Amino acid sequence: MKYDRARPLLLTAFSGAAFFCVVAGSAFAHSRSESGSHAGLDIPQIFHGEMVVMSDYRSGIIDLASRAVDTNERFRRMMNYAEIQYSYCLWGRMPGSVTDEESPFNECAHAYLAATKAVLLSMREMPRERAAAGEIISAVDADMVRRGLALITCRFSGEAFNTADIVKPRWSGIPFHVASMASLTGLASLFGLGVFALRRFSQPKAQSSE
């Protein structure tokens, strides 16, 4: 009986995830922003092996950058782009977004990590942040050598970015990427269970007749 009751809910959750992917894929047919004018600031490329390590240090880099005092407009625009790209890439929560070049989220991961690297390198020129930024750069370099990631590339490794061009995930590719599809299906299932529980507990209990 419990299985029979849960089955429609699970099917609804899976259908919801699939519908989301189809609709999103239609809305964002291209991974790049259609309005990208390339009139912003250029952000140099980041290699695949490099971004794997950079992702481990991202939170520390952004935390240091958010406390920076001697900033300029260029720095603030790169910082803003890094944060916007991070949110477009679902805050790096999708499995394989950094390590798997076949992930629909890999290109947008390249974008926010390339911007994060640009922010870090910019802080080398700031008097108050120079020392802390240098320590992070040294740690990143050491990690890349220790893990043998310096020469690892992928199809997006030669791609530069621009703050005027938002890189969006390839939503239409999600149904064909097992890890991404499973993750979104799981989220949809949790959402469906939450709605089910909320509706169940919000319904008034039937009073027993005397």
Side-chain angles (χ1 to χ4, degrees):
M1 292 294 293
K2 292 182 179 180
Y3 174 78
D4 292 338
R5 293 179 180 177
R7 185 178 179 182
L9 181 63
L10 294 175
L11 289 175
T12 300
F14 182 82
S15 299
F19 177 77
F20 168 79
C21 294
V22 172
V23 172
S26 300
F28 304 110
H30 302 284
S31 60
R32 290 281 187 165
S33 170
E34 294 291 345
S35 59
S37 63
H38 296 279
L41 302 174
D42 290 328
I43 297 176
Q45 63 190 14
I46 184 171
F47 292 102
H48 187 77
E50 189 178 10
M51 65 184 283
V52 171
V53 177
M54 285 293 296
S55 65
D56 294 336
Y57 290 87
R58 181 196 170 276
S59 59
I61 295 170
I62 296 301
D63 181 63
L64 178 63
S66 65
R67 293 184 280 107
V69 177
D70 301 319
T71 64
N72 52 39
E73 182 182 356
R74 179 182 179 84
F75 177 82
R76 291 190 293 271
R77 288 174 66 184
M78 286 192 299
M79 175 73 169
N80 185 57
Y81 180 78
E83 292 288 75
I84 291 174
Q85 277 294 162
Y86 188 54
S87 63
Y88 263 99
C89 208
L90 300 186
W91 304 276
R93 301 299 182 188
M94 297 302 293
S97 60
V98 173
T99 57
D100 183 6
E101 68 175 295
E102 298 302 325
S103 168
F105 295 85
N106 188 245
E107 186 180 17
C108 68
H110 270 266
Y112 79 74
L113 288 170
T116 301
K117 176 186 173 183
V119 168
L120 174 62
L121 295 180
S122 294
M123 287 191 287
R124 289 190 306 182
E125 310 302 323
M126 299 180 180
R128 297 187 183 183
E129 287 71 39
R130 181 183 297 131
E135 291 179 1
I136 296 176
I137 292 171
S138 297
V140 169
D141 288 342
D143 262 7
M144 287 184 62
V145 173
R146 178 176 58 84
R147 297 164 64 178
L149 297 172
L151 300 179
I152 296 179
T153 62
C154 72
R155 57 178 170 163
F156 300 120
S157 291
E159 184 175 355
F161 302 95
N162 189 282
T163 58
D165 190 3
I166 298 298
V167 181
K168 300 171 183 176
R170 292 184 295 106
W171 297 106
S172 60
I174 291 177
F176 308 101
H177 189 253
V178 176
S180 298
M181 190 62 188
S183 180
L184 287 178
T185 301
L187 289 175
S189 298
L190 289 175
F191 177 77
L193 289 171
V195 172
F196 176 77
L198 182 63
R199 291 183 59 184
R200 181 176 180 180
F201 288 108
S202 62
Q203 290 177 352
K205 295 182 178 179
Q207 297 181 353
S208 58
S209 58
E210 298 181 355

